[in-house]
Amino acid sequence: MPSIFSKFTDVQCDVAGHTWDKSCRGSAFSILINCLKYALSVYVPLYTASALLNRKGKIYFMKKLYMEIAQSSAFLAANGFFMVVFFCLVRKILGGYYPWSAGFLPGCLSSFVAISIERKSRRGALAVYMLNTAFDTIFNMLKHHGLAKDVPFGEVIIFAAAASALGYMYRTKNLPDGFIKSIIQKGDVRKIKQTMIVTRSIDESRLHFELSAKLAGKSFVVGYGIQTAYNFLMFLVKSKKSIGAFKRALISMDSLRLGGFCGSLVFLYNTIEKLLDRINKGKEGMNSAIAGAVAGCSMVLQRSSYISLYVLSKTLELFYMNGIQKGQFPYIKHFDTILYTLCTGLMFHGAILQPTYLKPTYWNFLIKLTGKRFGDINRKYWDVLGYDSSLSPESIGR
């Protein structure tokens, strides 16, 4: 039996792919328009709100804001447009499709063009996001073929391991500057105490506990507020609104769980590290690693594979950056572009041939981005490549 990687189908691109328009050019431009509309609907409020929260000056709003919105919107629109362009072009060159050329190859080519349009400062974050999404998709594929299985509390274990590594790097001064380090510093009682004048009449251990509890309370409020804000936005976009739905948006178990997770994470890290410092003096790195691992178990309150994979991927990124600074790892130029290109190519492969392995949130994003056209792909023609693609649409609405 030949490998699925050598299987071939000579199906026409408009029959199995862009069924919404017989013309390759017309289908590509229709995707471009839909992607651009969706991108603007996302980036205009997102960038404007971010600028207001960060108190950007008048010059930024007059000269930079609209340029950043336009650039990011062009990036997202280009990804969809060139995906269709290369999907059709690959078919014309090869005379048909192999499994690797139906989604992965055009996905990589279109992603490379698109990420080259986006600002360099955003490429790393986009690469990490797509890496997380690709991790989840690959795991689903392996699980389907019996090569992997769910581990009880797997996301908790992953998060605890990543938190342990971050704690060790932070306390041993091996954590590169950036968003993660700034977050840890804001929740580090030891760092805060250094800026305070502590009199001898105040018990140091008591002060540490009180500050830990205070920071935990603030973290709870932040976590609760983030989830509540998200719930409220979801309430606003729903067509049917009610008083009950409004109340559930403001007071929900999801908000309490996220708040509890954030608060307990900060409290456990600081109190356990303090206890270990008294028992195991002179081993700050090890103590912080243990404290991070125990504090990471707070994810049982808000189990999320996305958060776990994001923190894991950021930890690996920071570990690699630290290795580069010390000359332990080679510097790979444009690594963020390469990573984004490969991960997005994999996701396009899954979206065309195996959408059941995609997270529902990512599939829904593709549907909205393309004006539901990605759901119009005629997947029964892809069965010959060995993926049972025609079975996918029935489970897309999970």
Side-chain angles (χ1 to χ4, degrees):
M1 182 178 178
S3 167
I4 59 172
F5 293 102
S6 64
K7 290 185 177 180
F8 179 81
T9 177
D10 59 355
V11 65
Q12 296 290 329
C13 55
D14 63 317
V15 173
H18 51 87
T19 59
W20 57 89
D21 193 323
K22 291 287 184 182
S23 167
C24 296
R25 183 181 299 177
S27 61
F29 277 101
S30 66
I31 288 291
L32 175 65
I33 293 171
N34 278 281
C35 288
L36 192 56
K37 287 180 179 178
Y38 179 79
L40 289 171
S41 71
V42 170
Y43 287 124
V44 169
L46 180 65
Y47 280 23
T48 303
S50 177
L52 291 171
L53 289 173
N54 289 292
R55 299 179 181 181
K56 296 287 188 179
K58 184 179 179 181
I59 296 177
Y60 174 82
F61 282 94
M62 293 180 63
K63 296 184 177 182
K64 291 186 177 181
L65 177 61
Y66 73 92
M67 287 296 296
E68 291 183 359
I69 292 173
Q71 193 168 359
S72 291
S73 298
F75 147 74
L76 202 55
N79 225 329
F81 172 74
F82 283 105
M83 175 62 195
V84 180
V85 170
F86 287 119
F87 177 80
C88 298
L89 186 61
V90 166
R91 198 264 171 212
K92 291 178 180 178
I93 294 174
L94 300 179
Y97 295 100
Y98 295 95
W100 51 269
S101 68
F104 182 73
L105 179 59
C108 285
L109 294 172
S110 62
S111 301
F112 179 78
V113 174
I115 197 66
S116 300
I117 295 173
E118 184 55 288
R119 302 194 312 275
K120 290 183 178 181
S121 60
R122 273 180 41 84
R123 293 175 189 177
L126 289 167
V128 170
Y129 170 76
M130 291 309 302
L131 178 62
N132 295 339
T133 311
F135 269 153
D136 190 82
T137 303
I138 292 171
F139 179 76
N140 289 335
M141 291 178 178
L142 294 175
K143 186 168 66 173
H144 175 77
H145 292 289
L147 300 175
K149 63 180 181 179
D150 288 320
V151 177
F153 297 96
E155 63 278 284
V156 178
I157 296 171
I158 291 173
F159 183 80
S164 177
L166 288 173
Y168 180 83
M169 286 193 290
Y170 172 69
R171 198 58 77 194
T172 56
K173 295 180 172 54
N174 287 308
L175 187 63
D177 293 333
F179 175 72
I180 295 292
K181 186 175 181 179
S182 66
I183 291 295
I184 295 177
Q185 287 177 335
K186 289 178 181 178
D188 180 15
V189 170
R190 189 188 299 183
K191 184 78 173 178
I192 295 172
K193 284 194 299 183
Q194 290 176 355
T195 64
M196 298 176 62
I197 300 176
V198 183
T199 64
R200 293 183 179 181
S201 60
I202 300 176
D203 180 74
E204 197 271 340
S205 296
R206 178 183 172 184
L207 176 63
H208 189 98
F209 180 83
E210 289 177 353
L211 286 174
S212 297
K214 189 175 181 179
L215 280 175
K218 289 182 179 179
S219 299
F220 174 87
V221 172
V222 170
Y224 188 93
I226 290 173
Q227 186 63 52
T228 301
Y230 174 80
N231 293 342
F232 185 68
L233 287 174
M234 293 299 100
F235 167 78
L236 293 177
V237 299
K238 287 182 179 178
S239 56
K240 294 183 180 180
K241 299 179 177 64
S242 65
I243 297 297
F246 176 73
K247 290 180 179 179
R248 287 192 295 273
L250 297 181
I251 304 174
S252 69
M253 286 302 299
D254 287 342
S255 297
L256 288 172
R257 282 194 290 266
L258 185 58
F261 161 63
C262 294
S264 60
L265 178 67
V266 171
F267 183 77
L268 286 173
Y269 175 79
N270 284 301
T271 53
I272 292 173
E273 186 185 38
K274 177 63 177 177
L275 177 62
L276 290 173
D277 283 343
R278 298 183 66 175
I279 298 173
N280 194 24
K281 294 182 179 180
K283 295 185 178 180
E284 293 185 345
M286 181 183 295
N287 294 342
S288 187
I290 296 172
V294 176
C297 294
S298 60
M299 176 159 275
V300 296
L301 298 174
Q302 177 68 15
R303 295 170 63 180
S304 169
S305 61
Y306 175 78
I307 294 176
S308 295
L309 291 175
Y310 174 81
V311 175
L312 175 64
S313 58
K314 287 298 294 184
T315 302
L316 294 174
E317 177 192 0
L318 293 170
F319 180 76
Y320 179 69
M321 288 172 59
N322 183 55
I324 291 175
Q325 292 176 359
K326 293 183 176 181
Q328 297 171 342
F329 299 130
Y331 171 72
I332 302 176
K333 194 174 182 180
H334 305 305
F335 180 74
D336 50 1
T337 298
I338 296 170
L339 184 61
Y340 176 84
T341 296
L342 295 175
C343 290
T344 309
L346 174 67
M347 297 309 297
F348 275 122
H349 165 85
I352 292 177
L353 298 179
Q354 300 173 287
T356 46
Y357 299 137
L358 270 62
K359 292 187 70 171
T361 51
Y362 189 75
W363 173 255
N364 291 332
F365 162 72
L366 290 177
I367 290 296
K368 292 177 182 178
L369 179 66
T370 60
K372 299 183 179 180
R373 285 172 171 78
F374 235 83
D376 294 334
I377 293 174
N378 199 339
R379 291 179 172 80
K380 71 178 182 180
Y381 288 100
W382 301 113
D383 282 347
V384 68
L385 298 180
Y387 290 104
D388 292 328
S389 304
S390 61
L391 300 178
S392 299
E394 280 114 27
S395 59
I396 285 171
R398 294 171 294 180

